[in-house]
Structure formats: C-alpha cells, structure tokens
Amino acid sequence: MKKVSKAIFPVAGLGTRFLPATKSVPKEIMTLVDRPLIQYAIDEARAAGIKEFIFVTSRGKSALEDYFDQAPELEHQLRKKGKDDLLEILKSTNMESGQIAYIRQHKALGLGHAVWCARRLVGNEPFAVILPDDVIAAETPCLQQMVEAHAETGGCMVAAMEVAPEKASSYGVLDVKEDMGSVVSTRGMVEKPAPEDAPSNLAVIGRYILTPQIMRNLNKIKTGAGGEIQLTDAIATEVQEGREVYGYRFRGQRFDCGSKAGFLQATVAFGLARPDLRDELSAYLDELVSVRNAAQ
Ligand code: G1P
C-alpha cells in the first residue's frame, strides 16, 4: 500500500459565522492563542508524514497564501535585533517551494466538490483530508494515529467520535457493522441525518484517509444533504460497492472551531496548556468562577 503523503485542506468556506471578522480575514487565519487555525492543521499533517499540502481556496483567501510565504524583511529585522526565538517561530511556518499548492473552488458546491477540485494533484494515490475547523488536542496527533491504524486496515478511514444523540444531525454519522474498540467497520454513513434516521451517535470528525477511488465516486455524486455535493456520500458509495470504510475513535480532545463557543473553549484550553500563560489565565478563570458563585 502506498504511503499517505498528500493532504487536502478545504479552506474555501466564507466563514460567515465569524462575521464581521471574516469580512477581511480568512477564518483559517484566526488565531488560537498566537497561532492561526491553519497552522495547527499543518503541524498535525507534518507529524503524520504528509509532504504535499493542497489547499482548496476561494476568493478573498490571499492572506492565507501570504501566511505560508517567506517574510524576508521581518526575518532580517528579527536577526538584526538578535531575536532568535521569534525568528525560529517565524521560520517554523515556512513551507518549502513546491510543497504547497493552491486550487480554487470557483463555486461553493460543498465539501465533496472542494475535495474533487484537487483530483489532478492527488492522482492515483491515497490521500488525507483535514478540516481545519476541527482542532484536535492530542498527545499523538490525530492524523498520525489514523495513519498508523490505516496501515493495518487499508480502505477508507474517517475520524469518529461519540456525540450527544441530539447533536448527531449536525454531522456525518456512521452505521457501525463491527465495533473493534478504536476501529469500527461500517455498513454505511449518512450526512446530517434527521434525528430519527441517525444510525448511531458515532459522528465523523474532520480527518479522513481516502483511496483515489473517492475522486472517481465524486465524479458521479449528485447533490445531497443541504443541496451540496457531500464527501460523506462519496465515501458511503465505497461501502455500497463492497469496499471497506472504517471509523477511527481517536485519542484526544476535539474543538469545533467552526462555532464561536467551540473557538472560545479551544482558546481557553490551549491557553491553559501554555506554560507562559497558564498561571495568569487560570487565576483569572478562578476569579471569574468565584465572582459568579458569589452572585448566585
Ligand atoms: C463536515 C462533514 C461532516 C462532518 C463534519 C465534521 O460538515 O460534511 O460529515 O461530520 O464536517 O466537523 P460541516 O461541519 O462542514 O457542515
């Protein structure tokens, strides 16, 4: 089986939930503490052995392209001032020439369509998809866990997590065939099912390892849930045609940074995980809680 060395990052969304900020700043550039959302996704991909990074973008995302470019003037200034620590941080965001590619999704036709836009760059090999809105804090980065599990199973694999049953209709949901613990085999998956139709409460989270067959399935997929071309439907086709699709229950905590509440929670959690911020932030949180308790 060929190693997974390419990852697609769908970043074409308008980010309307974060207006007015996203009027001029791509959502993926918004920062958790001091790193843009997209940097977390890139670091996770690198840890999993990804060598080629494919961004599916849209109009108004040029700040994202600039972010991964070199910043020679800034580097020069930092070097002159002897700020080596900042220089190192800056350099760690540089991407090698030819490692990164940008493809435009000209129309917002859905996640499946965004992934399909990268078909020529992916070619005939397995590939990963990372949705940068789903930020996962984990000792072993989530995609790396999946690459290791996938080396045993092959087929397609999606990250999965149990959600409250009433929340299942916000996700792709797995129909579980056999539960083997961290890996489950499936007999199907449904995108955003009506609550009464959800086959389980095991939801798809934004990490995928997919076979090139998915691109061929996407060639034929019709619009699905929400009138969009759904990646979930292209993966479900695999099961219908007798090929394996696995869910992988990752070890780690997932934050839904596509929502304001999730973004705030991630900000607090990543802040508390930082040695330079932990004490001040937790003292502040303690103070907030005691003021709230006193008021009740
Ligand atoms: C997308 C996928 C969905 C998945 C979710 C995870 O939905 O279509 O299957 O469960 O990401 O975050 P979106 O959140 O973009 O509507």
Side-chain angles (χ1 to χ4, degrees):
M1 196 167 30
K2 200 164 181 328
K3 267 188 100 181
V4 184
S5 66
K6 297 182 179 177
I8 300 176
F9 301 82
V11 290
L14 294 173
T16 47
R17 278 197 258 178
F18 286 91
L19 279 171
T22 45
K23 195 175 158 199
S24 65
V25 180
K27 181 177 59 174
E28 300 76 20
I29 290 290
M30 286 172 44
T31 55
L32 285 179
V33 189
D34 49 13
R35 295 162 73 216
L37 271 190
I38 194 67
Q39 188 67 51
Y40 290 86
I42 292 285
D43 290 349
E44 184 179 330
R46 273 213 178 107
I50 298 299
K51 303 279 184 267
E52 286 181 54
F53 303 80
I54 303 165
F55 286 75
V56 182
T57 67
S58 60
R59 256 167 193 283
K61 298 279 178 168
S62 46
L64 198 63
E65 298 192 21
D66 289 343
Y67 175 78
F68 288 111
D69 211 338
Q70 313 243 329
E73 296 87 8
L74 194 52
E75 284 184 21
H76 177 71
Q77 289 301 330
L78 294 174
R79 200 170 296 114
K80 218 165 73 182
K81 293 188 178 141
K83 302 207 164 168
D84 294 343
D85 46 343
L86 292 180
L87 197 58
E88 277 317 299
I89 293 175
L90 194 63
K91 280 184 165 173
S92 70
T93 65
N94 289 349
M95 303 287 271
E96 270 173 47
S97 299
Q99 252 201 334
I100 191 162
Y102 301 94
I103 288 277
R104 283 261 174 132
Q105 184 188 25
H106 294 113
K107 280 190 190 160
L109 297 178
L111 176 61
H113 179 260
V115 168
W116 177 79
C117 288
R119 66 201 177 281
R120 294 206 170 82
L121 289 176
V122 161
N124 197 28
E125 46 184 286
F127 60 99
V129 177
I130 295 191
L131 309 187
D133 273 0
D134 281 332
V135 175
I136 301 175
E139 213 161 285
T140 305
C142 180
L143 191 64
Q144 186 184 340
Q145 295 177 35
M146 288 174 69
V147 164
E148 284 162 15
H150 183 258
E152 306 285 320
T153 62
C156 288
M157 180 174 273
V158 301
M161 180 181 105
E162 258 84 22
V163 296
E166 66 276 12
K167 295 270 170 70
S169 50
S170 306
Y171 295 89
V173 179
L174 297 178
D175 189 353
V176 177
K177 184 165 77 179
E178 195 186 344
D179 195 332
M180 295 161 277
S182 52
V183 176
V184 303
S185 65
T186 68
R187 61 166 78 86
M189 37 194 296
V190 200
E191 180 67 15
K192 304 202 171 75
E196 61 279 14
D197 297 333
S200 74
N201 66 333
L202 192 57
V204 176
I205 300 302
R207 304 289 183 274
Y208 307 76
I209 297 178
L210 301 174
T211 59
Q213 181 63 36
I214 293 299
M215 293 296 190
R216 294 191 277 275
N217 297 352
L218 282 168
N219 281 331
K220 294 182 237 149
I221 289 286
K222 305 229 162 43
T223 52
E228 297 189 335
I229 296 176
Q230 295 293 350
L231 183 58
T232 298
D233 294 344
I235 303 171
T237 303
E238 288 299 279
V239 188
Q240 284 148 22
E241 295 183 352
R243 291 179 289 271
E244 295 290 350
V245 173
Y246 299 95
Y248 179 78
R249 287 193 186 92
F250 54 93
R251 300 176 302 280
Q253 193 181 358
R254 174 254 184 178
F255 297 94
D256 175 11
C257 291
S259 81
K260 285 176 216 174
F263 202 99
L264 288 172
Q265 287 159 16
T267 301
V268 173
F270 281 87
L272 287 173
R274 286 270 297 257
D276 55 333
L277 298 171
R278 184 182 300 146
D279 293 348
E280 204 176 328
L281 184 56
S282 66
Y284 174 66
L285 293 174
D286 288 345
E287 195 186 307
L288 273 189
V289 172
S290 55
V291 167
R292 210 180 66 168
N293 288 346
Q296 275 170 0

